[in-house]
Amino acid sequence: MAGSRGRFGMHGGQYIPETLMNAVIELERAYDHYKKDREFQEELKNLLEDYGGRPSRLYYAKKMTEDLGGAKVYLKREDLNHTGAHKINNVLGQALLAKKMGKTRLIAETGAGQHGVAAATAAALMGMECVVYMGEEDTRRQALNVYKMRLLGARVVPVKTGTATLKDAVSEAMREWTSRMDDTHYCLGSVMGPHPFPTIVRDFQAVISKEIKEQMLEKEGRLPDAVIACVGGGSNAIGSFYHFIQNKEVRLIGCEAAGRGIGTLETAATINTGRPGIFHGMKSYFCQDQFGQIAPVYSISAGLDYPGVGPEHAWLHDIGRAEYVPITDDEAVDAFEYLSRTEGIIPAIESSHAVAWAMKEVPKMRKDQIAVITISGRGDKDCAAIARYRGEDIKDE
Amino acid sequence: MSRTAEAFHNKKAFIPFITCGDPNLETTGKIVREMEKSGADLIELGIPFSDPTAEGPVIQGANIRALAGGVTTEKIFAFVRELRQDVKIPLVFMTYANVVYSYGTEKFAASCAEVGIDGLILPDVPFEEKEEFAGVCSQYGLDFISLIAPTSRDRIAMIAKEAKGFLYVVSSLGVTGMRSEITTDIGSIIQLIKENTDLPCAVGFGISTPRQAAEMAQWADGVIVGSAIVKLAGQYGKEAAGPVGEYVKSMKDAIR
């Protein structure tokens, strides 16, 4: 495989049309330059702190800990970031990089709308044009975020092809990038796609685990026993795991969206139900049929409703360093309600998948152990949908 | 000279594309035979993929219709075996990396060779990733076709030197689909390719009219047309063979 770049074991690579190759090569060169550039790093740090609100808090969830009766539970509060999710970490980095590269326009895909809102926010801040591709089905599920993106000055393009969800939004953003790359940066929202995106996005999200480590050492004087995060493409999870990968004693747990269950076709649990494939620029695990047709996956969570997973997660799974577990819609909705009632924190339905695992497994852990759950985003955007899930129709959605 | 390169021997080649199984394989069979009769020199057979990221709306639509009709990679191999009883011109598959990888790259290449396919085009496999496919293809005597885009610039020499069969020159930025005009300087791209290889160059993406085909054929050794034909297939359904044949004849005449 001479020349093939950006591999995580057998996964990753650059499976994209020739038309895009110089664009990703240009991006890789720029990134390699700026990641070592002190001025760039300083500028990004200031943005993350003064604009993004970093560092995010590591909160000891006392009531939840007492209620579950097992390990001590800490919550990494990415939901408190500006725009309400971890997505801003990546977007500020990429938008700044794009600006240094002379790009004037950002395009992005979005599932739940969190990445779209973050991209629209960064574009507004930096005076860039922004177009967000969003599955039509998701524009209905996440109407509030569509309005926010428009309010921020972005144009939202509803994607009607395929299942009209995140996968189709990614396909359409890639198509658009193929037609216009001179002035346009594709601000990919997760640790997926062709190299160098999985590496760039991971580096920008790794601030999460860097902070968890520092905060945990400060509060407890030791590392946690488990770090838990939800996985769609996997950006908040890789961000939460990254600085712990070398600390083998720390369990890394990625919670996949099982939808109505991994025994059904209505699931998006890629590592649990998929097999190796090549799609959206990368080799990784994908939900697909026996002839390699990508499966129309399903999850209640628009942000996890994706048939693939980032290549670094595929590799962490292959080498047994991280565990990937399925969480159903029902479990996630229970967790959404549980955290709201128990701690007064309404988590995103995506993050609720991680909370759900903790509800099942933390009671089995010892009291002298510590579990950190990344709350990747806030749940305001999900309230109307969860109310509907419970059979309640609230009008003001 | 490989069979795909032979399609360009002493003539400008006309290369039509059709999605297999749109709306069923029986119709595709009639269309392919009509294309050959009408002067096609090589045919690109598309194996449908659920999420074709390099295609515009027309070919995306054909992929959806074909998959909805129940076509599979397995059925397409059987279909080509049957075609080969009388269709003589070179045939290449155009599909996406996952269709091949998921079938098993080696098993796929072996089946291609067995049923009489001459080459493979994967638009989502660039030079950097080609070895895992091109290596197996050459083992089974298939040409793994390389693409060159308007953005390729300093990559042209590297790609051309390792190319097999012919070079697929992408005429424009963006995805497949008909365009009212093609603004890329195709002449200078082809000149650069020719400095690095003796293989023929065929231009595709966006070409739909005989005038555009004739214009491209000034520089290129062949012209590839997909969306314009797939649009006819969509429009006429099971009756598409006749109209497609007439269209192919008009395009071939324009580049003779």
Side-chain angles (χ1 to χ4, degrees), chain B residues 112-135:
Chain B
C112 284
E114 194 252 311
V115 301
I117 288 289
D118 302 292
L120 178 61
I121 304 172
L122 299 177
D124 56 348
V125 176
F127 181 84
E128 280 75 357
E129 303 294 351
K130 84 178 164 75
E131 206 35 52
E132 73 178 286
F133 297 98

Side-chain angles (χ1 to χ4, degrees), chain A residues 4 7 10 13-19 21-22 25 161 167 175 178 275 277-279 283 288 291-294, chain B residues 48-53 55 60 67 72 98 101-102 123-124 126 128-129 132 147 149 151-152 155 159 174:
Chain A
S4 177
R7 291 281 169 175
M10 65 176 271
Q14 296 179 303
Y15 299 88
I16 48 172
E18 169 61 21
T19 307
M21 279 309 297
N22 266 321
I25 291 168
T161 53
K167 124 183 121 73
R175 289 184 183 114
T178 315
R275 60 189 175 89
I278 296 169
F279 184 48
K283 191 175 276 181
Q288 54 187 315
F291 292 108
Q293 306 297 341
I294 302 302
Chain B
F49 180 51
S50 52
D51 300 83
T53 48
E55 314 295 349
Q60 283 180 47
L67 290 171
T72 65
N98 202 46
Y101 181 74
S102 144
D124 56 348
E128 280 75 357
E129 303 294 351
E132 73 178 286
L147 290 93
T151 50
S152 294
R155 298 167 51 80
I159 296 169

